[in-house]
Amino acid sequence: MTDEREDEMTVRRVQLGSGPVVGAQGLGCMGMSEFYGPTDQDEARRTLEHALARGVTMFDTADIYGMGANEEFLSPFVRANREQVVLATKFGLIRKADDPRYRGFRGDAAYVRSAAEASLRRLGVDEIDLYYMHRRDLSVPIEETVGAMAELVAEGKVRHLGLSEVTGDEIRAAHAVHPIAAVQSEWSVFNRDVERTAVPAAKELGVALVPYSPLGRGFLTGAFANAEKLPEGDFRRDFPQFSGENAARNAELLQPLREVAQRHDATLAQVALAWLHAQQGLAVVPIPGTRRRTRLDENLGATDLTLTEADLVALEPIAAQVEGTRYPDMTFTAAARE
């Protein structure tokens, strides 16, 4: 890391449970390859470099993003900055090239190993810093899945383990097999079902929370009011919270964020992220996704924004009033198993 880069660093650091020390905000890289419409690959590469220069160290991907293309896209950046980057990727979700809506699940030991080896090849590295079980395969005991992940740690192919979309009991069962550094779940001012059992279990065990979609997939920024305004190919067009009457009602719920943002001369995105940074009792490292440097800088402004108790009280009722589920099919989420 150059002296110039060190001078630009602005993000405080936190420890992911028993895992690595990272910048207090990470970067979700999924949208650099697909899901959110057309992307500018050159700007996305510049955003990766800019993020690292600003002190973002955790970069999040998965083997299904772009059917492996996102890991391949990140590879040159990760290899060029290997000592500074904390690389997180995931396994366990299965897609079909001829059916974009298909989602399958595998957590058997043989698949865990083959998925890890495939990710290592695409990424061009010898070791994954944080390896997540992306979704739970209910046909396989979680102890088997995590046991196979633990073998990868013992072999030096993985450094730390994580879980995604799991219940509190599943966190405890997994942690009994091998220490879990982080749990990744959707968590935002709009969507708070993770607080039912996962957050209490994480606090109990000293596990960090890594909120994905901390900006409600962009809805909390006020950038769009309903899915009809999104480009073709944007997967949010299928999401119940952004459709029809649900979207109209949910757009009205942004008013408290606007009021808090005005008091602090901040943006809606910064308030939404600051709300997560204000959570107590465990390390919370949100991973807002962006493909642009300007948005990255805006999001990082949240790490310097301290909300008052009155602000938190104003934002508290929002989630209970949200209309629509956070996925079209909730069966593969932790909420469906609680």
Side-chain angles (χ1 to χ4, degrees):
M1 181 179 290
T2 66
D3 291 340
E4 179 181 358
R5 178 172 289 173
E6 289 174 353
D7 290 342
E8 294 175 357
M9 290 178 64
T10 62
V11 182
R12 62 186 171 84
R13 303 218 169 192
V14 298
Q15 185 168 9
L16 286 181
S18 58
V21 174
V22 298
Q25 211 159 272
L27 179 61
C29 300
M30 179 182 77
M32 294 179 177
S33 295
E34 66 169 338
F35 295 113
Y36 290 108
T39 183
D40 181 338
Q41 296 283 282
D42 289 337
E43 175 61 15
R45 291 187 185 92
R46 294 187 186 100
T47 299
L48 292 173
E49 293 288 351
H50 187 62
L52 191 60
R54 290 293 312 276
V56 173
T57 59
M58 185 166 67
F59 295 81
D60 184 90
T61 183
D63 58 4
I64 69 158
Y65 299 163
M67 304 289 282
N70 196 240
E71 290 181 329
E72 292 173 349
F73 171 75
L74 288 176
S75 176
F77 166 75
V78 171
R79 288 185 287 110
N81 300 281
R82 194 66 192 98
E83 295 304 313
Q84 290 79 45
V85 167
V86 174
L87 171 65
T89 192
K90 316 177 197 70
F91 73 92
L93 264 175
I94 311 296
R95 297 175 65 189
K96 294 180 178 178
D98 59 351
D99 184 358
R101 296 176 183 273
Y102 175 82
R103 295 292 184 273
F105 313 94
R106 282 193 65 179
D108 56 281
Y111 181 76
V112 172
R113 178 170 295 278
S114 65
E117 291 173 349
S119 286
L120 287 167
R121 285 195 299 272
R122 284 189 293 267
L123 289 159
V125 298
D126 296 324
E127 193 172 31
I128 296 165
D129 298 311
L130 179 58
Y131 200 40
Y132 287 101
M133 179 189 75
H134 204 165
R135 292 291 186 272
R136 174 80 195 280
D137 179 354
L138 296 180
S139 70
V140 177
I142 197 168
E143 291 85 355
E144 177 182 334
T145 304
V146 177
M149 296 166 72
E151 290 179 3
L152 296 172
V153 174
E155 295 169 11
K157 295 179 179 178
V158 169
R159 291 178 182 168
H160 305 285
L161 303 186
L163 308 170
S164 180
E165 283 288 349
V166 286
T167 68
D169 285 344
E170 289 165 348
I171 296 171
R172 293 184 182 92
H175 198 75
V177 176
H178 187 280
I180 301 299
V183 167
Q184 186 174 129
S185 285
E186 185 165 357
W187 194 11
S188 72
V189 173
F190 256 42
N191 294 300
R192 298 176 58 179
D193 52 40
V194 67
E195 295 175 27
R196 295 175 195 161
T197 66
V199 168
K203 289 181 178 179
E204 170 192 324
L205 298 171
V207 175
L209 249 293
V210 177
Y212 72 81
S213 299
L215 299 177
R217 295 183 174 82
F219 197 84
L220 290 172
T221 69
F224 67 96
N226 62 69
E228 295 176 1
K229 296 184 178 181
L230 297 172
E232 291 293 334
D234 192 310
F235 81 144
R236 292 172 293 182
R237 292 173 68 94
D238 295 329
F239 281 52
Q241 290 182 354
F242 309 142
S243 303
E245 294 183 0
N246 288 346
R249 294 193 186 101
N250 292 339
E252 295 174 358
L253 299 178
L254 297 180
Q255 185 56 31
L257 275 87
R258 291 192 175 94
E259 294 170 359
V260 173
Q262 187 173 19
R263 287 199 290 271
H264 290 275
D265 192 23
T267 67
L268 274 68
Q270 289 169 341
V271 171
L273 291 168
W275 179 84
L276 283 166
H277 289 300
Q279 301 303 308
Q280 301 293 313
L282 77 173
V284 179
V285 181
I287 49 169
T290 185
R291 299 169 289 192
R292 291 183 288 169
R293 287 167 288 175
T294 53
R295 286 294 187 196
L296 179 92
D297 286 333
E298 176 187 347
N299 292 342
L300 288 178
T303 63
D304 295 322
L305 174 58
T306 301
L307 300 182
T308 68
E309 187 62 33
D311 296 332
L312 297 175
V313 168
L315 300 175
E316 179 65 25
I318 293 175
Q321 302 175 64
V322 172
E323 298 285 346
T325 55
R326 55 189 177 93
Y327 284 105
D329 179 4
M330 288 288 288
T331 58
F332 60 86
T333 68
R337 302 192 298 276
E338 292 177 322

